[in-house]
Amino acid sequence: MSTAPEDSLEKAEQTAVLLLPGDRQATPAEVDFAVNTAVSILAAQGITVERDQVRKVLEARASVFQADSSAMKNDEGHVPWLADAKADRKWDFWDRYRRYLLSVSKLPTQVVRRLDQSTDEVLGELEDPQREGTWRRTGLVIGQVQSGKTGQFIGLAAKAADAGYRLIVVFAGIHNDLRSQTQLRIDEGLLGFDTQYQFRSDDDAHRHIGVGAMSHGKRLKAASLTTSHEKGDFARKTAVSANVPVGSVPVVLVVKKNRRIIDNLRDWVIDNHGVEDPGTGRMVVPDLPLFVIDDEADNAGVNTSKDPDTNPSAINKAIRKLVNSFTKASYVGYTATPFANIYINPDTDHDELGPDLFPESFIRTLRAPSNYLGPERLFGLVTDGDEEDIEPLPLIRHIKDTDLWVPDKHKSYHPVPDFLPESLQRALRSFVLTCAARRARGQVAVHNSMLVHVTRFTAVQQQVRDQIDAHVRLLFDVLQDRFSHAREELEEELRQLWEDDFVPSTEDMSGERLHWEDVESHLHAALAKITVMAVNGAAKDALQYYERRETGLSVIAVGGEKLSRGLTLEGLSVSYYLRASKTYDTLLQMGRWFGYRPRYEDLCRLYTTRTLQRQYAEITAATDELRRDVEEMSAVGLTPREYGLKVRTSSLGLGITASNKMRQGTRVRLSYSGELPETTIFDLSEKVVRNNHELLGSFVARLAALSSGKVGRAEREHHLEWRRSFGRHRGFSRLLPHRSAGPAGAARLHCGVCTSVRQAG
């Protein structure tokens, strides 16, 4: 009996996982036992697999851990219910999804246990869908970019369906491709059927996928009125003809944040299930519990109006109107960048629209698993608290040669010069090497993606796409010519790049060491599989990850806005990023390179500028500080309304979020009295350095007007010194507000690499 090496390894992994304990972290001895037993079982079936490879894969899964989540919450008017419901209701949707995560998605057991725990905590903060009367709960879950928030809210939706919520609406961004991608994840993890072919699980099409295609998974009744097709958003005409039994089975809709579509959804529900509220005269839905999941909750749904009380912005108004049309409603926002959400006015209320979307009931932070490649590990993190500093991984490569190609400030009609910068050529070669190295590690039928994000203009993106496509084709042609000198040169360039760049980073990160000969044998196959696509509103290209799931898609995605929020690039390894932004949230959301990179983390590369690296490092610190604030306030039992959320401002000129989302915010100045603050990030751009030098010259001129400068005589210290009695003249106190110990009445200017000014008082 024979089988492909990657199939053998997968079978061994699946067998070994079943032998690990399901309720705790596995010990090294238990891992050894599982590996040895799995190898023996496969050997008896005539399947040979290397024991060391199985152990590496299993250790990677068994060693992953995830810290508990933390939350601030407000239990006013809330009736605890989940503990009792756990005993007397069936949790079939969740149980099926849990099995899918373990056996198909191959998530570590510890991560699935944490997911079970965190979804229970969020669900418990919502109201029991079987509770009578009128109620409303609103909350916010803060995760990290590309850390698994979608998987988390699918688990939450599965439990909500089990608990009795019968209409579940997921708001998924503002673009069709993100909505389609989210719908597909819902189809696979919750519904169990392909919505492109059927609206109900009991339709005759029987196109079972994901949880519905597992041999040991139950076929559960559910329905949807949206599909995973790019144009499969909610439409009233489709809803009327679908004959979906809303109320008797869970109905799950994945909808764009579009005012017209949301209003159409609300009108359709009101037409079919609405009654007149005798108290207000409004049409409401009384007996259909609504659960809204707002993915990317800081995007589009936040009220940006100058008059938020009487004239809210369109999408915010539509969402609030939908939620307020149900007497029983729960709303949970998910985001990695909550800067806009924390500025929502908690006191806003409206007769027709109800309160704003402030997370009145709870704010919960989710810690990412230890195998998550996030901002802290990529850019490093210096903490002010008890937690240890995090050193950055050696994965960032600096770009210095794009000013003539695509400059920072360019127009939509910018003609891209007919050459590729050397840094981009190096990044493309790195992607080829990564694809080949993954094949050498047995990761053959997998997705490989490279991101090129250098401009927001679609016309410029198309030019860049064409240039990259021509270059990739040239590389392939050269590599195919067996006897040419050009092939020898290309292979030598690739070998040199592998030895100089990849080998050191793999050794530094304790990755799986590969020799050049192992990689070289896969170069041709890896390069032949690569396609170049433009991903934007004007291009017809589509990232067909699902369609190519059996063989794997290798793609270089050139884009802008569509790649900047929510959309997942499967198997992303190399990113080439130049796109600047003015705000924390937008810049962080553009970081598609965050996520999970099993067995190829050491092969990942981020090509960007030093300026962008410094900005990301600063945003990482600000985001971590916000997370720790929530955890601290959770420990002392404060509610979201009681907690005055704060976000540190940027030293590099970045805004926190769009100014129209911060109308309720207040800028404050905090005292550093009794502390020893230290600046660790300096902007060394030419403009800033020149401005600092001019300010220094102005300052010295003002000192010279007050006193004659003299060369100081302090040992081991070369400086100019101005002296004047403060009793006769208070000039220095106006020039130098900060005081420190030193010779009385002295202002001292130190010369050298670091310049500081001190004044004695």
Side-chain angles (χ1 to χ4, degrees), residues 621-663:
T623 306
D624 180 74
E625 184 177 70
L626 181 62
R627 172 190 61 79
R628 286 188 283 115
D629 283 349
V630 172
E631 291 174 351
E632 290 173 8
M633 296 304 100
S634 169
V636 298
L638 293 186
T639 68
R641 181 180 285 267
E642 292 172 326
Y643 176 43
L645 290 153
K646 67 181 187 298
V647 182
R648 69 165 69 177
T649 54
S650 169
S651 65
L652 302 177
L654 295 173
I656 295 171
T657 186
S659 58
N660 58 3
K661 296 180 181 179
M662 295 179 59
R663 300 188 195 279

Side-chain angles (χ1 to χ4, degrees), residues 39 48 55 69 72 121 130 210 237 278-279 290 360 393 407 409 430 572 582 614 661 676-677 687 696 715 760:
V39 171
T48 303
R55 178 175 281 103
S69 63
M72 297 181 295
E121 289 166 341
Q130 297 183 11
K237 183 178 179 181
L290 170 70
E360 180 77 29
L393 295 174
K409 296 181 179 180
S430 296
L572 179 63
K582 296 180 180 180
R614 289 196 298 269
K661 296 180 181 179
L676 295 174
K687 180 179 179 181
L696 177 63
E715 295 182 4

Side-chain angles (χ1 to χ4, degrees), residues 400-420:
K400 305 175 182 177
D401 56 356
T402 58
D403 288 343
L404 298 178
W405 183 61
V406 179
D408 289 344
K409 296 181 179 180
H410 59 274
K411 303 296 184 181
S412 60
Y413 49 83
H414 171 69
V416 180
D418 190 21
F419 69 89
L420 285 183

Side-chain angles (χ1 to χ4, degrees), residues 175-178 230 453 461 535-539 541 559-569 579 592:
H175 296 297
N176 284 329
D177 48 4
L178 176 55
E230 178 136 348
H453 189 164
Q461 291 167 21
V535 183
N536 55 51
D541 294 338
E561 298 298 336
K562 280 197 172 186
L563 297 177
S564 66
R565 181 182 280 268
L567 190 67
T568 299
L569 294 174
R579 175 83 180 278
R592 298 293 93 195

Side-chain angles (χ1 to χ4, degrees), residues 294-368:
D294 188 354
D295 191 19
E296 307 294 343
D298 63 308
N299 187 31
V302 175
N303 192 359
T304 57
S305 172
K306 291 183 178 180
D307 188 9
D309 291 326
T310 60
N311 186 31
S313 51
I315 297 177
N316 174 267
K317 179 178 180 180
I319 295 175
R320 289 165 60 187
K321 196 172 181 179
L322 172 68
V323 173
N324 205 42
S325 296
F326 289 74
T327 60
K328 304 176 180 181
S330 291
Y331 168 95
V332 177
Y334 277 79
T335 183
T337 48
F339 307 115
N341 302 85
I342 66 177
Y343 291 114
I344 297 174
N345 187 351
D347 298 317
T348 297
D349 204 350
H350 192 279
D351 292 340
E352 182 184 6
L353 307 178
D356 207 341
L357 301 177
F358 178 78
E360 180 77 29
S361 304
F362 64 89
I363 299 176
R364 180 168 293 276
T365 61
L366 300 177
R367 289 291 193 107

Side-chain angles (χ1 to χ4, degrees), residues 448-468:
N448 290 285
S449 298
M450 175 178 175
L451 166 67
V452 178
H453 189 164
V454 299
T455 177
R456 67 186 179 92
F457 300 117
T458 57
V460 181
Q461 291 167 21
Q462 189 61 46
Q463 295 179 70
V464 172
R465 181 260 167 214
D466 293 342
Q467 284 188 346
I468 293 175

